[in-house]
Every structure is written in structure tokens, then in C-alpha cells.
Amino acid sequence: MNQEKFNKTYASLNEKQKQAVDTIYGPLMVIAGPGTGKTQLLSTRVGHILRETDFRPFNILCLTYTTSGVAAMKQRLVALIGPEGNDVEVYTFHSFAEKVIQRYSRYNDLETFQFIDDIDKKILVRELLEEVEFNTPLKKGVSSVDSSISLILSIISQIKKEKYDADILIKAIVDQLRAKKDSEEFIYKKKTGDFVKGDFNQGKWDKFENKLSKNIQALQIYKKYNEIVTSRKLMDFDDMLLKALELLDRSEDLRLDIQEQYQVILVDEFQDVNYAQYELIRLLARTSQLTVVGDDDQSIYSFRGSNVSII
């Protein structure tokens, strides 16, 4: 431990930050806005834990979102702690999921999966879209194919991140179509052109029905896509996290081994976690000291499935 560096860094913290650093045991949530030194707080907390407890660097797991975030955390830890800072395990969620998958091979013979990249995913979705009839909501014409592919890829990723069930979603959409058919929302409120107040707004309904029917078709393609990647033993980027969750849930030995190692878990940018990531944290942190740092006013990854309500 670089005591001089640590003492100087600790002295620079305000009272609330010091309180967060000093609280070693039990669950801890730190709400901090942008530019308030969250990474510095986490690294100082790690240094304080190593100084005041018997935990070793390999007993500490830090999870963040980007490889640049991993590099920044490592750099701060080494500057504060010294060479041992390299032994603190810092990962992105997906790189940690990959580590879990690799570690599982020590317990059982894991089937060999082949990684499918974004280009291969797009090719497979395009092939499945070719089976869809023209003049249906998902494929009104050749010009609609690319936008439909983007929609399907987005749905595939969203379902996996939030662990949705495609059949339940399809049923919910069908139920919504039935419920909305007689809604006041599609009744003219005043005379409009050839229509009088109380007439059914067929044009507005057609747009609504087309949008929801398109989502149903996209979900049906997702189901076929999922069957194919499973049968071919393919794994995409989002599958890595789901596979890690499956393995942790299936193998008690693996789960207990990982829980035993990581006695301290710290999660940066917690407001950006999606449901699958939350499930991973929940599984890992049952017996550990869990710290999450985030800002419930600053969720920047909602486009990729983050769920700020989790915070």
C-alpha cells in the first residue's frame, strides 16, 4: 500500500465520500452525480478495505461497463495500492460472463459454442425475413427489409437483456389489439372531412394495428432465430451473460466457488444495469459485501436495455 498516496487521496474526500469509504461491511449504495469522483471513491474504498481487513485483492470484484472504464479503474488502483492493484479483478459485465463460462469447464464438460458476430446475426435474420410474405406488416416492400432487420435485431437484444418470454409478449400484444379495438382512442371526436363525431377512425386504427402486428412478426422471427442458434450451438454477445446466469444457477459448486472468492463486489454506473446484469449481481452477492455506485438521474444506456428502476 502506498500509504502516503492513500492518505493524501483520502484527505481530499468530502465527509459523505469518507463515510462511503469507511463503511466496509454490509450493502452500500452511493448516489453520486457526474463529475463527483465516483471512480476515485471506488478505488479509495478498495484500498481502505485491503488496509483494514484480511481480504486480498483477488477477493475483490469490480464490475463496470466499458473496457476504458476497466483500464481507468486499474490505473487508479495501481497508483493507490501499488502492484497489488493489478490483482484486484476488474471486468466489464460481458468479460466477467466469459470468465464464468471458462471457469465452468473445471466442473463439467461444457459444450463447445461458436461465437456469432453482428454480421452473422444480420445475415441469419435476413434469411429468416426472406421467409416472410410480402405485403405483411414486417415486409411491405423491398425498401422495408433493412428497417425490419434493425427492428428484429433490436428485439432480439432487448429480450435477452431483460429476460423476456417471447410467447408472453406476443400474447400481451394480441390482447392489447383486442382491447383497443373498441377504445375511444380510435373514435373521431369532431367532424373531420367526410367523417362525423363518433365515426370509427379506420386510418388511425390501421397504423396502430400495423405497428403491433409488425412486432408480433418480429417476435415470431426471434423464436425461429433462437431455435437455430441453440441447435447450431451458436452464442452471440448477449448470450454470454445469459449462459453465465444459466451456469451459475445450474452448478451449485461453481456458484459457491465464485461466491467464496469474491467477498467484496463493487458495481460502477449501477443506474445503467439491465435485468440480466442485475440477476448476475444478485447471484454473486448473496454472501459478499456489495457496493453499488450510480446516479438515478443519469441513465445513458436505456437504448440497450438498462432499467433505471433497478436502482
Side-chain angles (χ1 to χ4, degrees):
M1 174 75 70
N2 186 333
Q3 291 291 351
E4 183 179 353
K5 174 75 173 177
F6 178 85
N7 291 337
K8 184 178 179 180
T9 301
Y10 182 83
S12 70
L13 303 178
N14 62 39
E15 289 306 310
K16 286 291 185 181
Q17 290 172 325
K18 288 177 180 176
Q19 183 183 359
V21 168
D22 293 341
T23 306
I24 294 177
Y25 297 104
L28 175 67
M29 175 183 284
V30 178
I31 303 296
T36 53
K38 293 192 288 288
T39 304
Q40 180 181 357
L41 184 145
L42 285 172
S43 58
T44 309
R45 179 168 166 75
V46 169
H48 183 66
I49 288 170
L50 290 175
R51 188 173 71 164
E52 299 294 330
T53 72
D54 292 331
F55 295 133
R56 305 306 307 143
F58 59 81
N59 294 133
I60 299 176
L61 172 65
C62 298
L63 294 171
T64 186
Y65 278 85
T66 62
T67 52
S68 60
V70 170
M73 178 63 75
K74 280 283 190 181
Q75 186 177 15
R76 283 185 179 274
L77 287 170
V78 171
L80 191 66
I81 301 170
E84 274 197 321
N86 284 313
D87 296 328
V88 176
E89 303 215 4
V90 187
Y91 297 97
T92 64
F93 278 94
H94 283 91
S95 62
F96 182 75
E98 186 177 9
K99 177 183 175 70
V100 171
I101 292 169
Q102 293 171 347
R103 193 164 178 170
Y104 182 76
S105 63
R106 301 212 314 253
Y107 299 88
N108 290 283
D109 293 328
L110 181 64
E111 293 177 301
T112 303
F113 284 84
Q114 181 180 349
F115 189 75
I116 179 172
D117 60 24
D118 290 342
I119 295 175
D120 292 330
K121 281 176 66 175
K122 194 170 184 177
I123 291 172
L124 177 54
V125 168
R126 184 179 288 275
E127 290 173 356
L128 292 171
L129 191 58
E130 287 176 358
E131 300 174 9
V132 176
E133 294 183 9
F134 273 104
N135 296 321
T136 57
L138 199 58
K139 200 162 70 172
K140 286 293 186 182
V142 176
S143 60
S144 69
V145 170
D146 286 339
S147 63
S148 293
I149 289 174
S150 297
L151 171 65
I152 295 165
L153 289 172
S154 175
I155 284 176
I156 288 171
S157 184
Q158 193 77 1
I159 284 179
K160 291 179 178 180
K161 288 169 181 172
E162 292 300 321
K163 297 185 71 180
Y164 291 138
D165 184 301
D167 287 324
I168 291 176
L169 289 176
I170 290 172
K171 183 181 183 302
I173 294 173
V174 171
D175 290 344
Q176 187 180 16
L177 279 169
R178 289 173 181 162
K180 286 278 190 177
K181 183 69 174 178
D182 299 322
S183 170
E184 290 291 325
E185 183 180 344
F186 301 99
I187 301 298
Y188 282 102
K189 305 298 186 298
K190 61 182 180 179
K191 180 174 170 48
T192 306
D194 296 331
F195 301 98
V196 298
K197 181 180 178 180
D199 282 348
F200 183 70
N201 191 332
Q202 188 66 49
K204 187 175 181 180
W205 169 259
D206 288 344
K207 288 181 180 178
F208 176 76
E209 183 182 38
N210 182 76
K211 180 181 178 181
L212 267 64
S213 297
K214 183 186 290 187
N215 285 332
I216 289 174
Q217 284 187 297
L219 286 165
Q220 289 169 337
I221 287 183
Y222 160 77
K223 291 177 64 178
K224 292 181 180 179
Y225 168 91
N226 207 36
E227 290 171 3
I228 290 173
V229 297
T230 300
S231 64
R232 295 180 185 175
K233 296 181 181 178
L234 301 174
M235 183 185 298
D236 65 23
F237 190 68
D238 294 315
D239 284 325
M240 291 177 66
L241 200 55
L242 295 182
K243 177 57 66 175
L245 284 171
E246 177 192 330
L247 296 177
L248 286 167
D249 189 55
R250 189 170 74 191
S251 173
E252 185 179 14
D253 287 342
L254 173 66
R255 186 172 65 253
L256 293 176
D257 183 47
I258 289 178
Q259 287 176 346
E260 183 180 4
Q261 176 182 347
Y262 300 120
Q263 296 297 309
V264 178
I265 298 177
L266 305 99
V267 183
D268 196 10
E269 306 295 353
F270 187 65
Q271 77 277 354
D272 291 323
V273 299
N274 56 46
Y275 187 73
Q277 291 164 338
Y278 166 73
E279 280 289 290
L280 180 68
I281 296 166
R282 191 180 64 81
L283 272 175
L284 296 177
R286 284 179 179 171
T287 59
S288 68
Q289 314 305 320
L290 173 64
T291 298
V292 298
V293 177
D295 178 7
D296 52 358
D297 289 329
Q298 194 197 8
S299 181
I300 62 173
Y301 287 119
S302 58
F303 68 89
R304 73 176 187 192
S306 68
N307 188 345
V308 73
S309 66
I310 289 174
I311 200 169

